[in-house]
Amino acid sequence: MRSWLATDPVAGTTVIFVPSGSVHTSADAYWRTVSAAVGGECADETNDGGSPFEAACIGIVSREGPVRLVLDDLPVVDGIENSVGELACRCPDLRIVVTGRVRGAWHRLGRPIPVTLIGPADLAFTSDETSTYLRSRGIEHDLRWAQWITRRTGGLAAIIDALGVEIEKQGADIGSLGDTFLTRTIDESIARVVSNDAMLVRLGPTVALAAAAVPLVPDLVATLPGVPDDMTLPTVLERLGVTEQLEATDAQWRYPDPVRESLLRNIDTTHHNDLRCARAAFVEYWLDHDCPHNALAIAIEGEDWHTVLDVVSEHWTTLYTSGFLASIDEALIDRIPEHVAQGHPTVDAIRRMHRRFATPRDVPVVAATPEAPPEDTAGPAEVMMRVITLRIEGALLDAAALCEDLAAAPVPAFDELDERIRHAYAFLYLHIGITYQLVDRADEATTMFRRAHRAGAGMFVERDAAGKLALMYAVRGACFDAQRWLDEEQRHPPLPSKESERLVRTAGMVAAALIAVDRLEPESALAMLTDLSSPTDREEYWAHVLYAVGQHALLAGIPAEGLRRIVHHLEHYPELHGEGSAAGPMLDAVRANLYLAIGEIDSARNLVGQSHHPQTVAARARMHLFAGEPDDAESLADQYWTNVRCSAREAVELSVIGAVAADTNGDRKRALQHLGRAVALSRQHGLQLPFALLEPSMVRRLATLGAPLPVKADRVADDLAVFRPILPAVRLTKQENDRAYRPGERRNDRGDRQA
C-alpha cells in the first residue's frame, strides 16, 4: 500500500493514510485512530454523547476538496464493514480504500455503495512484475526464471521479497544457483514469513500440520495437538494473514498453494510421524462425513497406499459416479508401488480403464503384455541420427521419408517399459514429431509429440514435447489447447545447462508470444520475443520465431520493422524454406499481411496471389477485400472455411473477411451468417486477433451487424488499427491511358495514373 501511494496514483486528491492497528483492538479504539488521522476530535462516548466514529465523520466532512481515505490492514471488529459503508454514504465525495487479511462481509454492502473487491489472486505478482522486482534489485535473470519463481511462490509479494533478499546476498546469477537452492530458499522464506507473529510461534508445528487438511475446516483441525479448546484455528490463521476463506458463505479455508506445499515439506522432515498421524485422522474425519473424495486425496498425498486401496475398495461406486477419479487416477496408475497394488481387483480395473479411455487415442494401448523390445536399439538410433543430420542440412523431405518406418512401428504401453527403454522411445518420437512439424505435417507431428510427452515423463522430453505441442496449437490459432500445453511446459524449471535450455525453450516461448498476440496483448508478446531474441543459425524453429515476430509487428503497428526482420533472416536460410518446408506458406502469409499493412497490395499479390495453400488463403482473401474486390474475398471465404486442411485461425479469419465482404455488397443477412460463425469459432478457441486484422471502418461496421463481438470494436479500431485504409489503383485500358495521359504526369510500372 505504501509503495502504491508513493506513485501518487490519485493526483490532486488529499490522501489520508491510516496504518495498521492492533489485531485485538476495539471498534471505538480504531475509530479514534481514524479520527485523529483525519484531524477530527478524539471523541468518545462520554463527551457530549458523541462517539469516535462520529468524530471521524465530522473530521472528513470538514475537509475541503476530494479526499481518499486509506484504511490499511483493517482490524477484525464486528460490524466494521457496516461502519465503513455508513461513512461512505454520509460522505458521498469520499473514496475509501480498505485492505485486510480477512474476507469479511464486504459483499453484503452493494448498492447504494459501489464496492470493488480485489482478492489475493489479483494482488499477486505476475511474471512481468516479478521480473521488474528482480531487476530493481539488480538480479540478473531471464524471463523463464521470473515465470518459475512466480509459479513456485504463487506471486506472493512477501515471499518474493524475502527470496530476492537471499539471492542478492549470494551475489550470483539465478541460473547458477539452480532450482534446488531456490526451492530451499523459498521454503526458508515462507517459514520466516509465517512465523512472524507471537501467536504462530506459540502454535508451533500445529500450523504446518493443519496444511495437510484440504479443505481446512474448524472441526477437522480442532483435535490437532497444541490447539486450545477455545480457539477456532482457521479463523485465527486468517486474521494473521496465513490462510484465506474459500467463499464468504462457507466455513472453509485454505493455505495458498506454495505456502501449503512448503509447510508440508518442512514438517515432513522435522515431524514425520506427527504428520502421518494427522493425515490418518483427517482421512477418518472425511470418511465419517461421507466425503471419500477428500479422504482419498489426503491418503494419496501422504502416499499411504494401503489406506488408498481400502478407500477405493469400500467407496468405489461413490468415487466413480462422481467423476472424482478423472482427476486423480493418474496417481493410481503411476504412484502406487507395484508390490502393493498387484492383484488388487479394483486397482487393476481402474488401470485397464485408464489405459483404454484416459490415454490419448493417438497413443495406442497394448491390451496384452507386449513383447519386450529388442535390447539392440542401434538400428532406430542410427536412423534417427541420420534424420537429424538431414534436417540440419535442410533436406527436410528426405528426413521425413526416413521417419516413416519408425513412426509406423507398433507402440508399446510406456508404463510397462524399463525406464531406459521408455526414455529412448521418448527421444525417438520427439524427433519424429519435430521432423513432421518442419515439413507441414501437423496432425502426424501432434501424434508424435503426444507420444513423446507420455514416454518422456520425468525427463526433459516431457517439457520439450509439451512446448512443441503448445506451438503446434498456437500456430493453428487454437489458443485454449495451446495454453493448456504451455501451462504443462512451464511447470518445469529451466534446465541446469544454459546451452540445453536454449535448445528446448524456443517452442514454448514462441507459443506464449503467439497466444498473447491472439489475445490482443502486444506487450506480453514483446516481452517473450525480446527475451528469445533473433533466431540463430542452429535454431530449427527459426521460421516460427519469425512468424511470431511478424504477427506481433502487425498487432503493434510496426509492419515495416516486421518485414525488415523477416526478409533479413530469409536471406540467411535460403535452403530451409523450399519444397515441403512449413516455413514457406507460414512466412508468405504473414509477409503478405505485413505488405497490406503498409499499403503495398501488389507486393502481397506477388507473394500469395497464385497460392492455394490453406495457410495463405486468408491473406489472399484480405488482399481482395482491401483491393476493392469483395466478391472475390467472399468467394474464397465460402470455398475454404470448410476445408479440413484449414486451421481454426484460417476459419475465423475467413469468416470475418466474408462478413465484411458481404456487408460491402449490401447483403447483411449473409454478413451476419459469416460473423456468427466467426464469433462462435472465436469463443471455442479463444482467438481474437482476426477481428483486428481489418481496416478501422470495417471493424466498426462489424459491430453494427448485431452479433456480440469477442473484442471491443472501439479499442480495436482506435488503439490497434492494424491496417490503414488503402485506395486501390485505378486500372485503365490502353486506349484510356493514351487519352488520359498528359505531359508531366507520372505513371507507375504498370502504366497506371498516379495522383
Side-chain angles (χ1 to χ4, degrees):
M1 183 56 64
R2 293 181 188 277
S3 300
W4 176 68
L5 291 174
T7 65
D8 192 21
V10 281
T13 299
T14 301
V15 177
I16 302 173
F17 181 79
V18 181
S20 304
S22 170
V23 174
H24 308 291
T25 191
S26 66
D28 282 348
Y30 182 71
W31 287 112
R32 272 194 288 271
T33 302
V34 175
S35 178
V38 302
E41 297 183 2
C42 295
D44 56 38
E45 296 181 4
T46 61
N47 293 334
D48 302 325
S51 69
F53 176 74
E54 289 293 333
C57 292
I58 294 171
I60 291 174
V61 170
S62 64
R63 288 264 185 175
E64 294 185 0
V67 174
R68 181 160 301 204
L69 180 64
V70 178
L71 307 178
D72 191 30
D73 200 5
L74 198 69
V76 181
V77 176
D78 287 342
I80 191 74
E81 299 91 346
N82 292 331
S83 297
V84 174
E86 183 181 347
L87 178 62
C89 287
R90 292 172 61 173
C91 309
D93 294 332
L94 176 66
R95 296 293 179 267
I96 307 176
V97 178
V98 178
T99 71
R101 308 184 193 198
V102 177
R103 180 182 289 271
W106 302 101
H107 62 286
R108 297 177 186 167
L109 293 182
R111 293 182 179 181
I113 308 164
V115 176
T116 300
L117 296 177
I118 302 175
D122 301 305
L123 293 172
F125 275 16
T126 64
S127 297
D128 289 340
E129 289 167 336
T130 299
S131 183
T132 300
Y133 167 81
L134 294 174
R135 283 197 300 270
S136 72
R137 282 193 167 275
I139 298 173
E140 294 296 326
H141 66 284
D142 61 27
L143 189 58
R144 188 173 183 87
W145 276 114
Q147 294 171 337
W148 186 85
I149 289 172
T150 304
R151 286 193 302 276
R152 293 302 296 264
T153 61
L156 299 175
I159 301 174
I160 292 175
D161 180 62
L163 178 62
V165 171
E166 293 303 315
I167 295 174
E168 196 174 26
K169 288 179 182 177
Q170 296 297 319
D173 177 73
I174 288 181
S176 64
L177 297 175
D179 60 294
T180 302
F181 169 84
L182 293 176
T183 298
R184 185 176 68 252
T185 306
I186 289 172
D187 287 349
E188 293 170 353
S189 301
I190 289 174
R192 284 195 298 272
V193 172
V194 168
S195 62
N196 65 356
D197 186 277
M199 174 64 75
L200 294 174
V201 174
R202 287 198 297 273
L203 288 171
T206 303
V207 175
L209 291 174
V214 181
L216 195 62
V217 296
D219 291 346
L220 181 61
V221 296
T223 57
L224 282 174
V227 179
D229 294 338
D230 59 347
M231 176 185 288
T232 305
L233 182 61
T235 59
V236 171
L237 294 176
E238 184 186 16
R239 291 186 181 196
L240 297 174
V242 179
T243 62
E244 57 184 331
Q245 195 172 1
L246 294 179
E247 296 292 340
T249 56
D250 293 337
Q252 296 185 353
W253 286 259
R254 66 182 289 274
Y255 288 85
D257 287 341
V259 174
R260 178 178 180 273
E261 292 162 6
S262 176
L263 291 176
L264 289 177
R265 280 194 295 269
N266 286 335
I267 200 69
D268 192 32
T269 301
T270 58
H271 296 75
H272 176 76
N273 288 334
D274 291 340
L275 178 60
R276 182 173 53 80
C277 293
R279 279 183 166 137
F282 296 158
V283 168
E284 288 301 319
Y285 173 90
W286 287 119
L287 291 178
D288 290 343
H289 287 75
D290 297 323
C291 289
H293 320 80
N294 293 349
L296 184 58
I298 292 172
I300 288 175
E301 184 176 63
E303 298 187 348
D304 184 355
W305 303 121
H306 292 288
T307 299
V308 167
L309 298 182
D310 290 342
V311 173
V312 169
S313 298
E314 187 174 349
H315 301 276
W316 163 247
T317 303
T318 302
L319 293 168
Y320 178 71
T321 56
S322 65
F324 187 72
L325 286 175
S327 60
I328 68 165
D329 60 354
E330 195 72 41
L332 297 176
I333 297 299
D334 293 331
R335 296 183 60 192
I336 300 181
E338 191 61 36
H339 70 276
V340 175
Q342 189 172 17
H344 191 283
T346 307
V347 173
D348 286 343
I350 294 173
R351 286 181 165 175
R352 285 196 301 271
M353 290 172 58
H354 175 81
R355 290 172 185 162
R356 183 67 183 87
F357 298 110
T359 301
R361 292 184 182 274
D362 48 20
V363 180
V365 179
V366 180
T369 302
E371 294 182 5
E375 288 295 322
D376 181 13
T377 58
E382 289 178 354
V383 173
M384 185 46 60
M385 291 302 102
R386 177 61 179 157
V387 167
I388 295 173
T389 301
L390 288 170
R391 286 208 317 257
I392 294 172
E393 294 172 352
L396 299 180
L397 291 179
D398 292 338
L402 276 182
C403 291
E404 300 295 346
D405 290 340
L406 297 176
V411 181
F414 298 131
D415 49 4
E416 296 181 3
L417 296 179
D418 174 82
E419 185 178 87
R420 180 179 62 85
I421 300 298
R422 179 168 60 84
H423 288 177
Y425 272 110
F427 185 81
L428 180 73
Y429 289 131
L430 177 72
H431 279 280
I432 296 174
I434 294 172
T435 306
Y436 284 163
Q437 188 175 20
L438 296 180
V439 295
D440 199 19
R441 293 167 60 171
D443 291 337
E444 293 161 284
T446 300
T447 297
M448 294 299 127
F449 287 143
R450 288 164 70 91
R451 292 179 185 176
H453 179 264
R454 189 165 182 80
M459 63 179 300
F460 80 93
V461 171
E462 184 179 25
R463 168 194 162 187
D464 200 5
K468 289 172 171 56
L469 280 164
L471 180 58
M472 293 291 307
Y473 286 111
V475 170
R476 297 176 181 184
C479 294
F480 291 149
D481 288 324
Q483 185 63 60
R484 178 169 63 89
W485 283 108
L486 184 63
D487 291 342
E488 164 64 18
E489 192 265 352
Q490 290 183 341
R491 75 178 178 84
H492 299 271
L495 295 177
S497 165
K498 290 185 177 180
E499 186 65 26
S500 299
E501 175 64 20
R502 277 194 292 269
L503 289 175
V504 303
R505 70 175 187 157
T506 300
M509 295 187 72
V510 174
L514 288 174
I515 293 170
V517 169
D518 286 336
R519 291 174 176 169
L520 306 185
E521 300 170 358
E523 291 302 319
S524 297
L526 179 61
M528 290 291 173
L529 294 173
T530 301
D531 193 52
L532 188 58
S533 72
S534 296
T536 65
D537 292 341
R538 298 168 57 193
E539 177 55 69
E540 288 196 285
Y541 285 88
W542 64 274
H544 295 79
V545 175
L546 296 180
Y547 177 73
V549 167
Q551 292 287 81
H552 171 263
L554 272 176
L555 184 62
I558 50 173
E561 173 61 20
L563 268 174
R564 277 192 292 269
R565 290 189 62 183
I566 293 175
V567 171
H568 169 75
H569 283 86
L570 280 175
E571 294 173 353
H572 287 74
Y573 302 96
E575 75 283 2
L576 295 183
H577 51 92
E579 182 182 0
S581 170
M586 183 166 57
L587 294 181
D588 284 349
V590 74
R591 280 192 295 161
N593 285 330
L594 291 168
Y595 277 124
L596 291 175
I598 61 176
E600 295 189 11
I601 290 182
D602 286 342
S603 296
R605 198 184 304 271
N606 291 336
L607 265 179
V608 299
Q610 303 302 316
S611 172
H612 296 285
H613 195 282
Q615 262 189 300
T616 64
V617 67
R620 288 169 54 207
R622 188 175 292 106
M623 176 188 69
H624 287 302
L625 185 66
F626 290 176
E629 301 159 358
D631 290 336
D632 292 336
E634 189 177 8
S635 176
L636 282 174
D638 288 334
Q639 179 183 352
Y640 277 93
W641 82 268
T642 57
N643 189 315
V644 294
R645 293 185 61 211
C646 285
S647 68
R649 182 180 303 281
E650 286 84 49
V652 178
E653 288 191 31
L654 287 169
S655 297
V656 170
I657 293 168
V660 176
D663 186 55
T664 301
N665 285 332
D667 191 341
R668 290 181 65 85
K669 181 179 179 180
R670 285 278 297 157
L672 189 55
Q673 289 175 343
H674 285 293
L675 184 58
R677 185 167 63 239
V679 170
L681 288 169
S682 170
R683 289 177 177 167
Q684 180 180 347
H685 296 286
L687 182 61
Q688 299 179 9
L689 180 64
F691 294 88
L693 299 181
L694 298 168
E695 295 176 3
S697 62
M698 295 176 179
V699 177
R700 292 192 175 91
R701 279 162 50 195
L702 284 182
T704 67
L705 293 178
L709 300 183
V711 298
K712 294 182 179 179
D714 289 340
R715 183 209 169 201
V716 170
D718 297 334
D719 299 341
L720 298 178
V722 173
F723 292 103
R724 63 179 183 175
I726 300 173
L727 295 177
V730 179
R731 308 292 180 194
L732 302 180
T733 66
K734 183 178 184 303
Q735 292 79 7
E736 289 172 330
N737 259 313
D738 292 340
R739 288 198 302 271
Y741 179 65
R742 296 188 297 273
E745 199 172 41
R746 292 184 296 112
R747 302 186 186 206
N748 63 17
D749 56 1
R750 293 178 178 267
D752 301 323
R753 296 178 59 197
Q754 290 188 331

